[in-house]
Structures are given as structure tokens and as C-alpha cells.
Amino acid sequence: MRKSWLFVATLLLTGVIAGCGTDEKTANQDKEGTVNASAGVKKIVVGTGTNFPKICFIDENGKLTGFDVELVREIDKRLPQYEFELQTQEFANLLLSLETKKIDFVAHEMEKNPEREKKYLFNKEPYAHWRNKIIVAKDNNSIQSLDDLKGKKVLTGATSAEAQILENYNKANNNAINIVYQSGAAKDAVNQITNGRVEATIGADFSLPLIDPQGKLKITGDDLSEADILFVFRKDDPESQKLADDIDGAIKQLKSDGTLGELSKQWLGSDFTADKK
């Protein structure tokens, strides 16, 4: 009789433990439905910034948000095998942090170009597409091309795709442009140009109204480049490749159900998610 009671008690205890396991998994889900690492899900550290208005920034309530940030959160919802943790850094440090494995991928409107492809892995499914232009003060009518920037100071962010455009030009033109590497927020470009400390900057077609809501600057000249915007991962790393492939699957879902386009309209003012035509 004692053994029978022990057997029944064991069954009951097993049922309670099983029930607790289900409840624990539910409890380990955050508000967006992502299971935490404690439930056996792989933690992924995502590097982003705080100084790009509408892309990755701290809002008036102290919350990290923006197009890239909210996109990462949407992708996280669709990949229950991962838990994404957003980590903010200076833009110039993001790629180094990726190389040293402090973060697992970069989400900061990263343009795919030949120079970066040599060192880093990009996912295949773009989440935006942009065209780079010269940006000058609204009353400046003398600049239409890179040649017009010879002998002038031009502001850019270190390690950015725009910096690469200027650096490539300088290699072919005996360092004709005086490149000034930006250390502050993207919106600081407005002050630097309008105060005459620099003559111009280079930026994506969608970015001007984001950094210059008062309309003190303007876009000028032809497109300097156009490119897909993707996430950046470590190259020659099987786990990074698997993560990139999984993220591609989630982006395709976000495109097909309209979520990606709506995020772009919400944060960027228009749908910049279409693939290059």
C-alpha cells in the first residue's frame, strides 16, 4: 500500500513539475512574446546607436526607439529561437565591436558597399534602399558635384558609407576635399553647415527632413551612390550565417504582410523599403 501511495504521489509531483515548466516558459516571455535566454533561447546582442533621428535615438521618455530599433524588435517577435538585446554604442565603434564579438550584428542603416563586403557578412534581404546626395545650406547654389567640394570642408561620420565616398574621391584626386569626421549627433550637421564651419555633408535621400526639420539645408546634384540597407554580421562565421539567414526569413514575412512598409512610413515619412529597381 505504501508503494502504491508513493507511486501516485510521484505521478502527481511529475504533473505539477510539468505544469510549472509550461508556466515558467510563459513567464519567461516578454511583452512581445520573445522567450528569454533562461528558457533555452539563444541571446543575440544587437549593436545600434542613439544619435540618428528617427532611426535609432532616445525619445522624450528616455526610450530607445526609431526605424531600425523597432524593426529589430519586430524581427525578434518572429524568431522565437532568439532573444535580441539592443546595445547602444557610438557609431564609429560598432564594426570594431562586431569584429571583437562584443555584439552579434549591427543595426544602424548600414549600406552594403564593396569595401565593407570584403570584411563583413551582410544578410541578403534588404530592409531599405537609399541614394546618397550632397547636402548644403539652403542658400548655397555653387555646389552640384564632388568636384565642387575641392578645397572645402565636408562633414561625415567616421566608418560611414558616406565617408567611403569622400575617401575614394580623395584617393583619386590628391586629397582635394578636406574631410571633417563628425563626433557628435547627426543633427549637428545642420549647425556646422549653417554656421559655416563646414561647407557640406553627404546623406541618404530620406535623412534630410529627419536631421533638418526646419528646412535650413537642401539636397543638391545627382545621386553619388545608391545601395541596399542591410544588417552586418561577422564574416566566415557559421553561426552568423545561420542568424543572417533566419533574419532574412523574418524580413520577407515583414515585407509580405506590409509591416516593414508601415514602419518606414511611420518613422521615415515614406516607404523606403523597396528593392533597387
Side-chain angles (χ1 to χ4, degrees), residues 28 35-43 83:
N28 280 328
V35 182
N36 290 337
S38 59
V41 176
K42 186 172 183 179
K43 181 180 175 180
E83 179 191 12

Side-chain angles (χ1 to χ4, degrees), residues 68-250:
D68 280 42
V69 171
E70 299 307 328
L71 174 57
V72 166
R73 288 173 175 151
E74 284 291 339
I75 292 172
D76 194 8
K77 292 178 187 178
R78 314 222 175 189
L79 297 177
Q81 67 270 41
Y82 300 112
E83 179 191 12
F84 290 174
E85 176 187 299
L86 287 153
Q87 184 180 110
T88 60
Q89 300 183 6
E90 291 294 326
F91 176 80
N93 296 332
L94 286 170
L95 293 176
L96 178 60
S97 292
L98 182 65
E99 292 173 15
T100 55
K101 299 187 177 182
K102 293 178 181 178
I103 60 176
D104 297 302
F105 73 91
V106 178
H108 200 297
E109 289 291 302
M110 299 296 283
E111 175 181 321
K112 182 179 180 180
N113 60 34
E115 291 80 11
R116 284 175 174 165
E117 278 191 284
K118 292 176 182 176
K119 295 184 66 175
Y120 307 104
L121 170 70
F122 288 82
N123 64 300
K124 295 182 177 64
E125 193 71 23
Y127 65 90
H129 183 80
W130 71 18
R131 292 164 177 80
N132 282 308
K133 301 265 195 175
I134 296 172
I135 298 173
V136 297
K138 200 165 187 178
D139 59 356
N140 186 330
N141 298 314
S142 64
I143 294 173
Q144 297 292 324
S145 69
L146 289 175
D147 288 337
D148 295 330
L149 294 174
K150 288 181 178 180
K152 296 179 171 63
K153 292 182 179 180
V154 181
L155 188 68
T156 191
T159 76
S160 68
E162 293 83 1
Q164 194 72 59
I165 292 171
L166 295 168
E167 290 162 1
N168 288 346
Y169 182 88
N170 270 356
K171 286 177 184 177
N173 293 275
N174 196 29
N175 293 319
I177 297 174
N178 185 352
I179 302 174
V180 178
Y181 291 98
Q182 187 175 40
S183 58
K187 61 187 176 183
D188 184 53
V190 181
N191 294 328
Q192 297 233 36
I193 293 172
T194 55
N195 292 334
R197 293 196 293 272
V198 298
E199 195 81 16
T201 188
I202 294 177
D205 48 6
F206 71 83
S207 67
L208 186 55
L210 306 184
I211 67 172
D212 179 31
Q214 295 181 342
K216 296 180 179 180
L217 307 181
K218 68 178 180 181
I219 286 172
T220 186
D222 296 330
D223 296 346
L224 300 179
S225 69
E226 61 176 302
D228 290 329
I229 305 304
L230 303 122
F231 298 119
V232 189
F233 305 79
R234 281 185 293 277
K235 199 168 186 176
D236 302 320
D237 182 330
E239 290 188 3
S240 290
Q241 184 64 66
K242 175 66 167 58
L243 175 60
D245 291 343
D246 290 340
I247 286 175
D248 277 334

